[in-house]
């Protein structure tokens, strides 16, 4: 079983990391479209085309399933991709549902890319959950670029957040939804910035659970080594530039 994991960039590694642990018997093909990152400030049709090309590539080199480890690509393209390819295509969307389920009267802060927040998929989800009045959506394109630069400095993050939240009362929020895989790197640092009462939720675990269910592959350790291939915009690479990200994600393990 070879699972393709696709993102515009390094955000997808946060899903790869989770999936590698959940599915030790599977092999992975990781694809980051670094030539075109960021997607979040592009048009829907641009993202559609780029995502289609990447998924087509993954299917052609033998992916048995593809995870869109990217909320932005999912919102622009998941329905079309499911019609176009025979392999399962697993998407991601901001984890609004668990946030609404634990709602106790304060607002839900949703950070995602501009495109995710303005796309129909997210707005339909908000309607379905009847959450229009309780969400506070904030596009954070700066964090995508910072993650691409391996800039995980608390001071720099605080400066970016200050610019957005300076004049906003943070006590009005009860939950923060990280609706972009690039933002997962900042989860612990966000905890330092926001009041401790704010719960931080993301969709990574849910996505991998979904993948496992779809593959019915909750298999025990069937191999001593997983094989992971890395591609950057269609060109095979070694894990060189990605290793430090995986180390960063696993530093507290
Ligand atoms: N990592 C992507 C997401 O989950 C998007 C980042 C970007 O390319 O703007 O939305």
């Amino acid at each position: 079983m070879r699972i393709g994991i696709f993102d515009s960039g390094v955000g997808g590694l946060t899903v790869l990391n989770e999936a590698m642990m959940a599915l030790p018997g599977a092999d992975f093909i990781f694809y980051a479209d670094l030539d075109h990152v960021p997607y979040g400030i592009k048009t829907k049709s641009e993202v559609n085309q780029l995502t289609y090309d990447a998924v087509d590539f993954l299917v052609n080199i033998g992916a048995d399933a593809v995870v869109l480890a990217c909320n932005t690509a999912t919102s622009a393209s998941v329905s079309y991709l499911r019609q176009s390819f025979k392999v399962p295509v697993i998407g991601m969307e901001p984890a609004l549902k668990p946030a609404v389920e634990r709602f106790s009267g304060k607002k839900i802060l949703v950070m995602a890319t501009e495109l995710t927040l303005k796309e129909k998929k997210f707005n339909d989800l908000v309607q379905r959950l009847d959450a229009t009045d309780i969400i506070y959506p904030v596009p954070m394109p700066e964090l995508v670029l910072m993650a691409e630069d391996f800039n995980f400095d608390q001071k720099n993050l605080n400066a970016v957040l200050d610019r957005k939240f300076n004049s906003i009362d943070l006590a009005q929020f009860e939950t923060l939804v990280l609706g972009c895989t690039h933002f997962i790197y900042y989860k612990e640092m966000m905890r330092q910035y926001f009041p401790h009462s704010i719960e931080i939720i993301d969709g990574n675990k849910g996505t991998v659970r979904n993948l496992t269910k779809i593959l019915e592959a909750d298999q025990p350790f069937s191999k001593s080594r997983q094989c992971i291939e890395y591609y950057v915009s269609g060109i095979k690479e070694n894990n060189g530039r990605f290793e430090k990200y995986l180390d960063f994600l696993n530093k507290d393990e």
Side-chain angles (χ1 to χ4, degrees), residues 3-9 29-36 39 46-63 65-70 73 77 80-81 85 87 89 231-235:
I3 301 164
I5 307 250
F6 164 71
D7 183 32
S8 58
I29 313 170
F30 178 73
Y31 187 119
D33 192 8
L34 298 183
D35 286 358
H36 302 105
Y39 278 13
E46 282 170 325
V47 171
N48 238 324
Q49 187 62 53
L50 293 168
T51 305
Y52 181 91
D53 291 348
V55 173
D56 189 45
F57 180 89
L58 284 166
V59 171
N60 278 322
I61 61 168
V66 175
V67 180
L68 302 178
C70 179
S77 314
Y80 179 59
L81 295 171
F85 296 99
V87 304
V89 178
Y231 288 83
V232 170
S233 304
I235 309 289

Side-chain angles (χ1 to χ4, degrees), residues 7-9 11-12 36-41 69-73 92 113 116 144 179-182:
D7 183 32
S8 58
H36 302 105
V37 68
Y39 278 13
I41 53 171
C70 179
N71 297 262
T72 311
M92 279 186 100
T113 67
T116 299
V144 175
C180 168
T181 50
H182 280 74

Side-chain angles (χ1 to χ4, degrees), residues 78-136:
V78 73
S79 323
Y80 179 59
L81 295 171
R82 285 186 180 140
Q83 287 160 25
S84 310
F85 296 99
K86 286 203 189 75
V87 304
V89 178
I90 292 101
M92 279 186 100
E93 62 186 359
L96 200 55
K97 190 157 177 269
V100 169
E101 279 165 3
R102 65 182 293 283
F103 176 68
S104 67
K106 291 186 176 186
K107 289 214 167 201
I108 300 167
L109 176 58
V110 184
M111 291 184 185
T113 67
E114 242 165 86
L115 190 62
T116 299
L117 294 174
K118 76 174 179 226
E119 260 314 301
K120 183 174 182 316
K121 191 165 194 319
F122 177 70
N123 289 294
D124 285 352
L125 177 70
V126 173
Q127 294 283 315
R128 225 168 33 247
L129 296 171
D130 198 14
T132 313
D133 297 336
I134 59 170
I135 63 158
Y136 192 101

